[in-house]
Amino acid sequence: MDPSHVHNHQHPDLRGRNLLISIFLNILITIAQVIGGLVSGSLSLLSDALHNFSDVISLIISYVASKLTKQKASASRTFGFKRAEILAAFINASTLVIVAVILIIEAVKRFFNPQEIESSLVIWLSIVAILGNGFSVLLLKRDSKSNLNMRSAYLHLITDMLASVAVLIGGLLMKYYQLYWVDSVLTFLIAVYLIWVGWDLLKTSTKMIMLFTPDHINIEEVVKTVNQIPKVKKLHHVHIWNLSDDELHLEAHLDLYENISITEFDNLLITIENVLHDEFNINHVTIQPEYDKADPKEIIVQD
């Protein structure tokens, strides 16, 4: 197999199973925290429940997206659903930021009107949430390193686990020192952290959706590398984008010194594909060969 077309697809069935387990755990945690938050009067516990509910939604979206990506391409969907996971990551990141803004508004309101809270219930439910989310984090950790969609689900879970740790600390402070204003402060801090985490993921997924050049790719270096290959005059009219986490595409025009045969160009293309894969991890290459053609030769050309 041509190395330029090797993709990284890690155990999708296991990935799906781990997502289902995480979904089930978070549904149970959310129900418990909503009931506990209403009974105890804790805004931070309710905010954690809201975050957990967003986790459930994000995990379901991630699960559906992971299943869609395995659907085959067709005449009406020539790329299949390969970009579904990027869209899922965008939705998940957006919900993180939206939930955080809601929490900040509620935290400010509660800070100026603190209420007595049943702290024992807060403590026990936060411990349950820490354990449940901690297990889910371990399930998704491996795939989060290689898949944007799984990373968005992973970040939802790990931020919620950290939020639950903060709620636990707040519950202890309220139980032993009656510092009920801590509930609002913790809610505010949790929300700020959610925005910080979600914003980075939102930027990354947005860039992919907009087909921006990946941050780690220097187009001038790519062009310079290809131009050094024998028979190549100039690589121009270049587009480089991520179709998915696994697929980095290059589309370009290739100006040649000679009017070579198709067989010679095929051999040259194999060389270019291998160089681009080895040097820049570009694994899908589409090149339009040209010889003495009158058209713009700039690296970037607005279509």
Side-chain angles (χ1 to χ4, degrees):
M1 180 181 290
D2 184 344
S4 66
H5 291 86
V6 175
H7 305 152
N8 178 26
H9 300 294
Q10 294 186 14
H11 44 81
D13 292 334
L14 183 58
R15 179 188 302 170
R17 189 202 69 177
N18 290 345
L19 276 170
L20 282 176
I21 294 173
S22 298
I23 290 169
F24 178 72
L25 285 174
N26 275 271
I27 288 174
L28 293 180
I29 292 170
T30 300
I31 293 172
Q33 287 187 320
V34 167
I35 295 173
L38 293 173
V39 172
S40 67
S42 171
L43 179 61
S44 62
L45 192 58
L46 281 172
S47 70
D48 205 18
L50 180 59
H51 185 200
N52 254 308
F53 180 70
S54 74
D55 284 347
V56 172
I57 300 301
S58 71
L59 289 169
I60 291 173
I61 292 171
S62 295
Y63 179 76
V64 173
S66 69
K67 291 297 182 183
L68 285 176
T69 55
K70 293 188 286 184
Q71 297 292 318
K72 293 183 179 180
S74 65
S76 60
R77 293 184 290 269
T78 56
F79 282 115
F81 289 89
K82 288 183 177 181
R83 295 180 66 76
E85 290 193 306
I86 296 175
L87 184 59
F90 175 81
I91 294 171
N92 288 344
S94 300
T95 59
L96 271 178
V97 175
I98 292 170
V99 166
V101 172
I102 294 172
L103 294 182
I104 288 174
I105 294 172
E106 293 303 315
V108 172
K109 290 180 180 178
R110 179 65 69 88
F111 182 79
F112 292 104
N113 185 28
Q115 300 175 15
E116 186 174 346
I117 294 165
E118 177 51 55
S119 52
S120 295
L121 190 56
V122 174
I123 291 170
W124 284 111
L125 285 175
S126 60
I127 290 174
V128 170
I130 290 169
L131 294 175
N133 281 308
F135 182 65
S136 297
V137 165
L138 291 176
L139 286 176
L140 302 186
K141 183 176 181 180
R142 181 179 178 183
D143 285 318
S144 69
K145 298 176 182 178
S146 60
N147 183 276
L148 185 68
N149 177 39
M150 296 298 289
R151 178 148 55 95
S152 69
Y154 174 80
L155 286 175
H156 263 270
L157 291 169
I158 198 168
T159 54
D160 204 34
M161 183 181 72
L162 293 174
S164 297
V165 171
V167 173
L168 173 60
I169 294 172
L172 293 171
L173 290 174
M174 287 184 285
K175 181 177 179 63
Y176 294 105
Y177 299 98
Q178 288 73 53
L179 300 176
Y180 297 115
W181 57 265
V182 170
D183 190 63
S184 299
V185 173
L186 286 174
T187 302
F188 182 86
L189 294 176
I190 291 168
V192 170
Y193 183 66
L194 288 180
I195 291 175
W196 180 69
V197 171
W199 187 250
D200 183 64
L201 184 61
L202 187 61
K203 287 193 299 181
T204 301
S205 56
T206 299
K207 287 178 180 179
M208 286 190 175
I209 289 173
M210 295 298 294
L211 302 182
F212 288 176
T213 304
D215 292 338
H216 68 283
I217 293 291
N218 184 322
I219 286 187
E220 291 184 356
E221 283 297 318
V222 172
V223 171
K224 180 180 177 181
T225 300
V226 173
N227 288 350
Q228 292 173 349
I229 298 174
K231 299 182 181 179
V232 172
K233 187 175 182 180
K234 185 175 183 180
L235 188 75
H236 62 100
H237 208 129
V238 180
H239 300 279
I240 302 177
W241 73 96
N242 277 108
L243 179 69
S244 66
D245 275 343
D246 302 326
E247 296 185 22
L248 182 56
H249 287 231
L250 176 143
E251 175 187 273
H253 294 198
L254 186 69
D255 211 22
L256 300 170
Y257 280 111
E258 304 172 13
N259 189 12
I260 63 177
S261 68
I262 293 178
T263 301
E264 289 176 299
F265 175 71
D266 285 343
N267 293 330
L268 175 60
L269 182 59
I270 290 173
T271 300
I272 293 173
E273 288 177 335
N274 289 334
V275 168
L276 290 175
H277 179 268
D278 294 342
E279 297 291 329
F280 304 100
N281 203 33
I282 295 171
N283 48 18
H284 280 261
V285 176
T286 303
I287 288 181
Q288 175 179 309
E290 298 175 348
Y291 171 69
D292 201 23
K293 181 182 179 183
D295 69 349
K297 303 298 181 183
E298 288 81 11
I299 294 176
I300 305 300
V301 177
Q302 179 66 52
D303 292 323

